[in-house]
Amino acid sequence: MDENQSSKKVSRRGFITKSTLAAFGSMLGAKMVFGESFPKDLNPVGFQNEGAVGIDGKHKDLIILNDKPINAETPAHLLDPKVTPADVHFVRNNGVVPQNIDAKKWTLTFEGESVKTTKSYTIAELKSKFKTYTYQLTVECGGNGRKEFNPPAKGNQWNVGAIACAQWTGVRLKDVLQDVGLKPDAVYIGYYGADTHLSGDPEKVVISRGVPIKKAMDDENLIAWAMNGEDIPVLNGHPLRLVIGGWPASTSGKWLNKIVVRNKEHDGPKMGGTSYRVPKYPVAPGQKVPDEDMKIIEAMPVKSLITYPKTGALIKGSNSFEVRGHAWAGDLSIKKVEVSIDFGATWQPSDLSTALNKNAWQHFTAKLNLPQEGYYEVWAKATDSNGKSQPMVIPGWNPKGYLNNACHRIAVKRV
Ligand SMILES: Nc1nc2c(c(=O)[nH]1)N[C@H]1C(S)=C(S)[C@@H](COP(=O)(O)O)O[C@H]1N2
Ligand SMILES: [Mo]
C-alpha cells in the first residue's frame, strides 16, 4: 500500500481533530501528550471513571454525561452547601465553548424589530452605567430528571443534578432594556452567545432562546459577570451571561453577546418543535405529538433535593440523624417540605427557611429516627405556594423528557 492509501486509512479510523484536541486540553487543564493519536470515538478516561482527573476547574466527582459537547451533572450530596460552589455547578453545553475570550473587548449588543435603536455596551460600561445587584438564582435544566422517563427520551440522561443555586452578580436585564428603549410592540427577548456549532459551520447558531417581555422585566433577571463573587467559570458562560432564575436554564444564555427584542415569540434555534416544549394535554408514553400541540415551558415546577446524608449512608444504632436539602418552585415559593421513611405511608414536617430572594431555593432540615435495623428510603416532598406538591412517581411523559419533578429518594441503612 502507498503513502496515500495508508493516510486515508488513518482518517477513516477517525482520529480527533485539532479543535477537539484543544477543547480536551482546556477541559483537562493539561496538554494531551500524544493527543494526535487519540481515536475520535473514545472519551478521555480522565473525564469519566473512578479516580478521574475531571474537568478543569470543576469538582472531580461531577458525573460526565457527554464530552462532545461537555455535559456534566452534580451528585446530590455535593449540592449540600446553601450556595452552590462554582466548581460543582453543573455544565450543559450544546456547542463548542468559545476559545480566547477577552473580557475587556467583550460587547453586548441589543437589536431586533422592537428596540428603538441598536445599542452596544462593553462590560465596563454595564458596570459603570447601571446599579449592580446580587441574587441567588436557581438554574435548572428543563431536562433534569430525564433519565427516568419511559420510553426513554433522547438527550443527556440527567438524573437529579442538573440544578444549581449560586449567587450571581450583574446588572438587571430590565434596567438595560429600559436604557436601550423598547417599542410598544415588544413581546419577547432572545439571546445569542459566542459558542460555536458542533458541525464547525460558523453560520450555524447553537441555541438562541428567550422569555416573554413580562418575565424579562422581573427584577431578579441578571446580565451577570460573576458567580459567587468571582469570574464565572468559562464552562458556565464567562465573561457574561444571562441568568433567568426559575425558568428552564436554556433561557439563561451563556457567553452572551447579543439580545434581540422581538415583536413576536422569539424563533431562534431550540424555540420550536419539541425543543423545551411539552404537549398541551396529557399524552400516553411514547405517543407522537404534532408540533402545533406543543407549548413552550415557562416556570419550572415544584421540586426538592435531599443533599444530606449521601445516598447509601449507614446510620449507627437508634440515634436520630439529620436529613437536609433544598426546595424550589419556579417563580413561586415553597410552603412546606415533608419527609417520609416508610415509602410515603406517613410524612413528617421539616423546618423550612425562607428564600434569600425570589427565584432562590429554600433549605429544609428534619430529624429522623429509624425504628429498627434494616433498609430504608428517605423521601422528600415539597409543596409550592399555590398548594401544588411533587408527584411520587414520574409525571406526564413528553417527547423530550422535560419537567420530571418526582420526589427525590435516597437509601439509608440502620446498622
Ligand atoms: N450560549 C449558550 N447558552 C446556553 C447553552 C448553550 O449551549 N449555549 N445551554 C443552555 C442550557 S440547555 C442550559 S441547561 C444552561 C446550563 O447552564 P450551565 O452550563 O451554566 O449549568 O445553559 C443554557 N445556556
Ligand atoms: Mo438545558
Side-chain angles (χ1 to χ4, degrees):
M1 151 180 8
D2 67 22
E3 271 310 313
N4 269 347
Q5 277 172 311
S6 90
S7 67
K8 251 192 216 136
K9 188 159 175 233
V10 167
S11 70
R12 259 205 312 278
R13 275 181 56 192
F15 292 96
I16 58 172
T17 62
K18 278 216 173 75
S19 67
T20 313
L21 198 57
F24 278 163
S26 77
M27 287 183 292
L28 290 163
K31 177 182 150 71
M32 222 175 160
V33 182
F34 306 123
E36 314 75 52
S37 309
F38 191 78
K40 174 163 125 245
D41 298 328
L42 288 185
N43 295 326
V45 166
F47 285 169
Q48 24 171 12
N49 295 329
E50 196 92 2
V53 296
I55 313 166
D56 192 30
K58 290 285 173 186
H59 194 287
K60 70 174 179 46
D61 292 339
L62 286 204
I63 302 154
I64 314 249
L65 303 179
N66 189 355
D67 65 345
K68 298 180 213 101
I70 190 84
N71 283 282
E73 73 167 279
T74 318
H77 69 279
L78 290 184
L79 289 167
D80 193 45
K82 289 182 173 169
V83 175
T84 306
D87 72 331
V88 303
H89 196 292
F90 76 100
V91 178
R92 196 289 181 250
N93 289 340
N94 290 268
V96 180
V97 177
Q99 308 276 316
N100 309 320
I101 295 164
D102 185 349
K104 288 207 178 68
K105 292 205 184 112
W106 198 269
T107 56
L108 172 61
T109 302
F110 287 78
E111 55 184 54
E113 305 100 3
S114 298
V115 293
K116 287 191 177 140
T117 50
T118 296
K119 219 162 171 176
S120 290
Y121 305 86
T122 62
I123 297 176
E125 281 165 349
L126 290 174
K127 286 181 180 174
S128 65
K129 198 155 185 193
F130 304 97
K131 189 170 173 218
T132 296
Y133 293 85
T134 295
Y135 294 111
Q136 194 188 4
L137 298 168
T138 55
V139 168
E140 181 179 20
C141 179
N144 195 21
R146 174 178 292 137
K147 175 177 179 268
E148 302 295 333
F149 283 101
N150 206 359
K154 281 202 196 107
N156 289 298
Q157 296 300 296
W158 303 109
N159 184 15
V160 296
I163 168 77
C165 197
Q167 291 268 11
W168 295 91
T169 299
V171 292
R172 284 180 172 162
L173 171 63
K174 83 169 196 192
D175 290 352
V176 187
L177 285 173
Q178 268 153 10
D179 186 65
V180 169
L182 305 191
K183 292 183 187 164
D185 66 353
V187 292
Y188 228 90
I189 64 146
Y191 70 76
Y192 290 86
D195 45 342
T196 54
H197 201 268
L198 289 173
S199 63
D201 181 345
E203 301 299 308
K204 271 196 173 157
V205 173
V206 176
I207 180 172
S208 173
R209 304 201 65 245
V211 294
I213 285 289
K214 190 172 176 309
K215 168 69 180 171
M217 290 301 181
D218 281 353
D219 286 349
E220 294 77 11
N221 303 313
L222 293 177
I223 296 169
W225 54 79
M227 182 200 282
N228 301 338
E230 306 206 12
D231 281 358
I232 300 170
V234 172
L235 290 172
N236 300 105
H238 173 75
L240 201 64
R241 86 174 288 179
L242 200 53
V243 191
I244 308 277
W247 283 44
S250 52
T251 60
S252 292
K254 304 196 278 188
W255 312 291
L256 180 71
N257 57 17
K258 186 162 79 180
I259 290 179
V260 288
V261 184
R262 309 295 312 267
N263 61 9
K264 56 176 186 183
E265 198 173 275
H266 183 52
D267 51 4
K270 299 200 188 273
M271 284 299 293
T274 53
S275 290
Y276 304 101
R277 306 206 308 164
V278 290
K280 289 176 180 161
Y281 44 81
V283 301
Q287 190 179 320
K288 281 235 163 1
V289 187
D291 281 357
E292 61 270 24
D293 287 356
M294 304 284 281
K295 60 169 188 219
I296 297 175
I297 299 169
E298 300 203 321
M300 293 295 285
V302 56
K303 200 162 174 181
S304 61
L305 190 70
I306 302 165
T307 58
Y308 184 89
K310 183 179 172 178
T311 191
L314 301 179
I315 310 293
K316 287 210 173 73
S318 59
N319 297 338
S320 70
F321 68 102
E322 186 180 68
V323 33
R324 59 176 184 254
H326 319 289
W328 62 97
D331 287 331
L332 303 175
S333 62
I334 297 292
K335 194 162 71 180
K336 63 175 177 184
V337 178
E338 298 159 288
V339 291
S340 175
I341 54 162
D342 54 11
F343 308 110
T346 62
W347 292 91
Q348 42 186 309
S350 69
D351 288 327
L352 183 66
S353 75
T354 53
L356 231 56
N357 51 257
K358 190 182 162 205
N359 301 128
W361 63 18
Q362 292 163 246
H363 319 292
F364 67 90
T365 57
K367 282 256 185 295
L368 294 178
N369 269 299
L370 304 177
Q372 61 185 73
E373 286 185 4
Y375 172 88
Y376 299 82
E377 288 184 9
V378 181
W379 292 5
K381 180 173 69 175
T383 303
D384 70 25
S385 47
N386 281 348
K388 242 190 197 170
S389 299
Q390 292 181 257
M392 286 314 314
V393 293
I394 312 306
W397 184 92
N398 60 87
K400 283 279 186 80
Y402 297 120
L403 305 181
N404 176 6
N405 67 333
C407 289
H408 184 214
R409 305 154 52 198
I410 62 160
V412 294
K413 212 193 248 177
R414 179 174 153 185
V415 293

